[in-house]
Amino acid sequence: MKCIYNKVYHAAMAALMLTTATACTSDNAPLQSNDVPPTGRPVTITATYQGTGTPDGTDAQTRTDYGYDMFNNTVKVTWKAGDKIYVINSENLKEGNTLTAAGFEEFTLEGEAGKATGTFKNENSNLDMDKELYAVYCGNNASSKISVTTTSKLYNFSMTGQRQTANFTTAHLADYDLMCATVNANAATKSFNFTHVNAILHLHLALPYGQHTVKEVKVTGPQSSFRESFTVNPALKSIAGMPTYNDCTLKFGSSDNGVTVTSENYITAFVMVSSNPIYKNNEITITVTCADGTYSKKITASENFVMNPGTCNSIEATLTKENN
């Protein structure tokens, strides 16, 4: 028995309200709001939830600390402690193996963890607030996942190395939830919305009776479907390149020893995948590698199984052991 369904995992986009903090030059003269001194100055960026949530934003579904609601197949998302976003004037974007080498400035969350409104700050910013801005988010160690290596101002993004440390946990998702935002030079309010690039695949998988130690979960689809690395256009906030990758791998457990499944022999895994309408009406193979062998199941996705950006998509299946 199997069932496949799809629901949006965020209720609304978040807006970045950009404001510059008061600072002083070396001679203690007040800094004018339009000045961009060579030595930089403190800049504060506030990310605000603009949906229909509670006044303190505790029910926001637009950010980077994840909680799965199994009854509604939704993912509640809020800012988490230590979150970082990267911002740049678009005209300054250049080639670089890391975000900072490409010219991005790093802004760090100051408190407000677990809420929809967060204040991010850079103590030595050179952003020109009167020009077009790009922003990007991708969890911890973002510079190891995103690079700008072309002169056409595109991001290269990698989702390799995904690891879920325990059965049912969602803590790893934020590090692969690529979000982009843009504000035009002529925008009066200097605010913009982050847009999700990827989607979440929720897998509820039953193994045969007995105790199993799960080490790896792999999903495979048609060509150019489950891409583990791709190119993103920051202005369009969408995938620009279409490599031929067709699978995505999730390591299971905090180490290579895996996770022992004891409760009803179910695996509940969450994989961040590239958004792509190609999944519908196509065959998807789920393969789970355990200490005692390999288990798999082939399913055919329905017409409604479309992984749009920012959606949570679910597959429920019973796996059988391969001849190994």
Side-chain angles (χ1 to χ4, degrees):
M1 179 180 292
K2 61 180 180 296
C3 64
I4 308 173
Y5 50 101
N6 172 304
K7 282 195 177 182
V8 173
Y9 81 79
H10 67 290
M13 293 298 175
L16 284 184
M17 309 300 295
L18 280 79
T19 58
T20 55
T22 301
C24 294
T25 60
S26 57
D27 62 357
N28 294 322
L31 176 68
Q32 299 301 312
S33 60
N34 293 329
D35 290 343
V36 184
T39 56
R41 81 290 195 204
V43 168
T44 298
I45 293 176
T46 303
T48 305
Y49 175 62
Q50 293 187 329
T52 57
T54 57
D56 65 354
T58 54
D59 70 340
Q61 296 178 2
T62 55
R63 281 298 175 266
T64 61
D65 197 18
Y66 292 78
Y68 180 67
D69 180 351
M70 71 167 104
F71 299 105
N72 297 302
N73 191 38
T74 57
V75 178
K76 176 181 177 180
V77 195
T78 56
W79 289 117
K80 67 178 181 181
D83 263 341
K84 298 179 185 299
I85 58 176
Y86 295 80
V87 186
I88 190 175
N89 288 118
S90 60
E91 64 182 22
N92 296 331
L93 188 65
K94 59 181 181 293
E95 291 188 76
N97 292 325
T98 65
L99 287 173
T100 51
F104 282 85
E105 295 183 1
E106 182 180 275
F107 287 74
T108 305
L109 179 68
E110 293 189 317
E112 295 96 12
K115 295 186 178 181
T117 299
T119 300
F120 292 78
K121 193 169 186 178
N122 182 311
E123 293 287 354
N124 191 35
S125 174
N126 285 292
L127 290 178
D128 188 335
M129 308 305 284
D130 293 325
K131 294 182 178 180
E132 185 178 55
L133 293 162
Y134 290 159
V136 63
Y137 169 85
C138 186
N140 297 324
N141 303 312
S143 60
S144 68
K145 302 179 184 70
I146 305 172
S147 62
V148 181
T149 57
T150 71
T151 55
S152 54
K153 296 185 177 181
L154 299 175
Y155 305 156
N156 291 326
F157 179 65
S158 174
M159 288 194 296
T160 58
Q162 290 190 66
R163 180 180 288 273
Q164 183 173 323
T165 58
N167 203 12
F168 200 82
T169 184
T170 58
H172 60 292
L173 288 175
D175 288 344
Y176 296 89
D177 190 4
L178 177 63
M179 295 189 290
C180 298
T182 302
V183 59
N184 295 326
N186 59 357
T189 60
K190 292 301 179 187
S191 64
F192 52 82
N193 292 328
F194 265 122
T195 300
H196 294 272
V197 174
N198 298 324
I200 296 172
L201 180 61
H202 162 234
L203 301 171
H204 190 59
L205 309 173
L207 292 172
Y209 179 78
Q211 183 170 287
H212 306 277
T213 301
V214 182
K215 295 188 174 184
E216 183 179 286
V217 178
K218 185 176 183 179
V219 290
T220 306
Q223 190 175 42
S224 299
S225 57
F226 292 100
R227 301 183 289 262
E228 283 197 317
S229 60
F230 46 83
T231 301
V232 177
N233 185 319
L236 299 178
K237 294 163 282 192
S238 62
I239 295 175
M242 298 277 289
T244 58
Y245 307 115
N246 67 338
D247 59 58
C248 196
T249 300
L250 174 72
K251 296 293 184 181
F252 224 64
S254 57
S255 68
D256 291 338
N257 294 328
V259 173
T260 300
V261 179
T262 57
S263 178
E264 299 181 353
N265 303 308
Y266 275 100
I267 305 168
T268 303
F270 296 87
V271 188
M272 192 65 73
V273 297
S274 55
S275 57
N276 196 337
I278 199 172
Y279 303 115
K280 67 179 183 180
N281 298 328
N282 277 297
E283 186 176 80
I284 296 174
T285 301
I286 311 296
T287 305
V288 175
T289 301
C290 300
D292 62 327
T294 302
Y295 299 83
S296 64
K297 177 71 174 181
K298 291 184 179 181
I299 64 170
T300 300
S302 69
E303 177 70 25
N304 296 324
F305 195 74
V306 181
M307 289 190 173
N308 293 321
T311 59
C312 181
N313 306 263
S314 291
I315 294 176
E316 184 174 331
T318 298
L319 308 185
T320 57
K321 190 170 186 177
E322 296 182 354
N323 294 324
N324 49 26

